[in-house]
Structure formats: structure tokens, C-alpha cells
Amino acid sequence: MGAEPLAADRSAVEPAPMTPRPHRVLRVRRETPGVVTLALAPLLGDPEPGAPGQFNMVGAFGVGEAAISVSGVGPDGAILHTVRDVGAVTHALARAPRGSLLGVRGPYGRGWDLAGSLGGDVVVVAGGLGLAPLRPLIRALSLRRNGFGRISVLVGARSPEQLLFLAETSRWRARGLHVDVTVDQAAVGWSGRVGLVTRLIDGAVLHPSATTGFVCGPEVMMRFTARALMSAGVEPSRIQLSMERNMRCGVGLCGHCQLGPFFVCRDGPVFGHEVVGPLMEVREL
Ligand SMILES: Cc1cc2nc3c(=O)[nH]c(=O)nc-3n(C[C@H](O)[C@H](O)[C@H](O)COP(=O)(O)OP(=O)(O)OC[C@H]3O[C@@H](n4cnc5c(N)ncnc54)[C@H](O)[C@@H]3O)c2cc1C
Ligand code: FES
């Protein structure tokens, strides 16, 4: 009798979830000093961009893997990853030439939750490279512009030369988003705002009880941003933060990314402030 070993048949064609799939580097774009955006396409099958806020484990063969957020989708469907060269793996990724192969597994984790913010105002706050995982969210917001009240995008960077995706900010404005950009330290030729991104929050929160905040950046920036949003009247449960921890497996098996009772890879990286806020106040956690 012809028993149907469906599971076995499927595993023959579907890669195991932990197995990196080879991706070709289609394009490399230099964004700022030490930061590049890689456009990656799988050798087999269709690209999987995932939901805004999710991340992939991106690997340089023979070097290792790093968690990298999806920063967008190219016009050809390629998945964009914006990488800052900080260590061995990200150095190899940032130097990967066009045409080379990288390993990608994912998308993993829980991204931004847009559903609860429909109909209300939205404040997106990005610090430095934190704009990369927020970019797919900003795109989703601008595509559904009529579904929200005021959409404010507040961007901060240490210096003008470290500002990411500057050309896109004018496109976001053209689509009806309010965009404010600031730098910690000005430079010759900079005529924009100077000061921490948290200073922009009071002017951006108009209807606090109906405002959702989406925040990504260095942890100290997220802590102060969450405080500023709450002082402006935004509910902690309406503040979403994307947390960063050292990742290994990316799927909740190894424990490297533990944050209190959570695994950032599996339960995050995006958490509500009511959940993660108290943990952020604990040193060394
Ligand atoms: C959910 C998630 C999403 C992420 N998304 C991105 C992304 O889109 N783009 C990106 O470039 N990185 C991203 N990261 C961070 C990235 O995974 C780490 O920077 C990476 O592990 C570094 O690996 P490495 O081997 O190159 O450096 P390591 O050898 O691990 O680190 C080298 C040195 O750099 C320091 N360092 C490590 N990470 C950072 C950092 N983020 N900023 C400054 N110094 C650091 C370390 O303390 C160490 O001193 C993300 C991390 C998480 C958890
Ligand atoms: S990275 Fe292994 S449990 Fe999160």
C-alpha cells in the first residue's frame, strides 16, 4: 500500500530552519562611513522580506553570523540589510563584494505591531543605525497614510555624516509624513537642528492618549526616549522598542540573548515598554 510519508517528502525540499540559504550580493551601497546596505537575493526560491522589524542571521562563510534587521526591499525584490562594520562578522559582511555569496537564515522574531496604532497618531523615533529596522515600518505607514492621524518621524545621529537614508526623508515628507532630523554635533555646512532626538518629542506628540511610539536605537537612547514619550502622556503599552542582545541561534535555543524571562530573538526583538521597561532599568541584565 502506498503510505504517504508527507513530512519526509517535505523535508527533502524545504531547508531546515537553522540552515543558511546562499544569497547573492546583487548591490552594495555605501550609506555613511562604515555603514553599507547589501541587496541580497536567494540563489534558490523567492526572497523572504518578513514583516517590518524582523531580522535575519546573515553569515559570511568561514567567519560567522550576525543578526541584521531587514532594512527594506529593493525594486527587484532583493532584501536589503544595512550593516555597520563593528567586528569580525560585520566587517566581512560590509566588505562582501557584489556577486559574492552570503548565508541567510530567517526572517526571525516579532516585528513592529502596527494594528493597535490604526486610526491614531504615530511617532517613530530613530537613533543612528536604529533607522534601518524602522525603515520598513515607515514605508508601511506611508503606504497606508490615510489609516493614521499625524505620522512623525524623528531621526537623530551623532553627526551629519552619520545620517542614514537622507534622500528618503524628503520622499517621506512628500507622502505627508512629518519628518524632523537632528544631530548631536553640527559640522561645517549643517544648518539643521542640533541636539538630542528626545528634544523633538514634545513638539511631535499632539494627542498623547491616541499616540503610538516606535523606537529603535542604542539602549540608553531608547530609555530616555521612552521616558520623554511617557512624560508627554503616551501610555507605556503604546511604546514599542526594538531590543538588541548578542545572538547566536536566533530561534530561542541557546539562551545567548536572554533578557530577564525573555529571549530577545524569539519573544522580540520588538517589545512593549510595559514589558521591557522595568528590565531596562536593571544594570547588567
Ligand atoms: C535583533 C537585532 C538586529 C540587529 N540589526 C542590525 C542591523 O540591522 N545592522 C547592524 O549592523 N547590526 C545589527 N545588529 C547588531 C549586530 O548583530 C551586532 O553588531 C553583531 O553581532 C556584531 O558582530 P561582529 O562579529 O561584527 O562584532 P563583535 O565581534 O560581536 O563586536 C565587536 C565589537 O563591537 C562592539 N559592538 C557590537 N555590536 C555593536 C553595535 N551594534 N554598535 C556598536 N558597537 C558594537 C562589541 O562590543 C565589540 O567591542 C542587530 C542585533 C540584533 C540583536
Ligand atoms: S539567540 Fe539563541 S536563544 Fe536567542
Side-chain angles (χ1 to χ4, degrees):
M1 206 175 80
E4 295 283 315
L6 277 180
D9 281 350
R10 245 210 303 274
S11 69
V13 291
E14 285 183 6
M18 292 282 290
T19 306
R21 287 166 287 124
H23 280 56
R24 176 91 58 206
V25 179
L26 296 187
R27 293 180 299 283
V28 181
R29 185 188 151 98
R30 188 173 177 277
E31 304 283 1
T32 63
V35 177
V36 301
T37 295
L38 303 169
L40 305 181
L43 284 193
L44 294 172
D46 296 323
E48 287 187 55
Q54 285 194 299
F55 68 95
N56 282 315
M57 296 301 293
V58 184
F61 294 109
V63 184
E65 294 179 309
I68 305 292
S69 304
V70 174
S71 65
V73 178
D76 51 1
I79 308 176
L80 309 182
H81 295 83
T82 302
V83 181
R84 176 185 286 145
D85 177 354
V86 292
V89 176
T90 46
H91 186 63
L93 298 179
R95 291 173 61 98
R98 191 160 73 93
S100 61
L101 288 182
L102 298 174
V104 176
R105 56 190 180 88
Y108 293 137
R110 295 150 69 101
W112 308 104
D113 178 9
L114 252 187
S117 54
L118 271 170
D121 292 349
V122 169
V123 179
V124 177
V125 193
L129 196 62
L131 188 55
L134 286 165
R135 189 163 71 154
L137 172 88
I138 297 168
R139 181 171 162 73
L141 287 164
S142 68
L143 290 176
R144 299 166 74 182
R145 178 69 195 89
N146 295 335
F148 303 91
R150 191 177 201 237
I151 302 176
S152 300
V153 178
L154 313 179
V155 178
R158 286 202 183 135
S159 64
E161 70 163 9
Q162 289 179 18
L163 281 166
L164 281 176
F165 314 135
L166 257 191
E168 265 177 86
T169 52
S170 41
R171 289 207 286 279
W172 296 337
R173 284 192 185 103
R175 290 192 173 168
L177 276 58
H178 167 81
V179 184
D180 237 345
V181 176
T182 184
V183 295
D184 297 355
Q185 285 177 336
V188 178
W190 176 254
S191 56
R193 289 180 186 271
V194 180
L196 297 177
V197 72
T198 41
R199 288 212 200 139
L200 307 178
I201 287 171
D202 269 345
V205 177
L206 301 184
H207 309 102
S209 62
T211 295
T212 305
F214 297 96
V215 189
C216 188
E219 202 157 311
V220 63
M221 168 267 176
M222 291 200 289
R223 207 159 53 222
F224 282 102
T225 300
R227 279 187 203 162
L229 286 168
M230 288 185 290
S231 324
V234 180
E235 288 290 321
S237 61
R238 297 184 74 120
I239 300 173
Q240 298 181 32
L241 311 170
S242 182
M243 302 300 293
E244 211 178 287
R245 282 294 178 276
N246 190 1
M247 301 271 178
R248 284 285 182 274
C249 70
V251 293
L253 294 176
C254 71
H256 263 85
C257 66
Q258 190 156 6
L259 175 64
F262 304 108
F263 289 154
V264 172
C265 65
R266 183 194 63 195
D267 305 314
V270 176
F271 292 90
H273 185 268
E274 82 288 8
V275 172
V276 86
L279 298 171
M280 290 170 79
E281 302 294 336
V282 183
R283 282 175 72 92
E284 306 291 328
L285 200 64

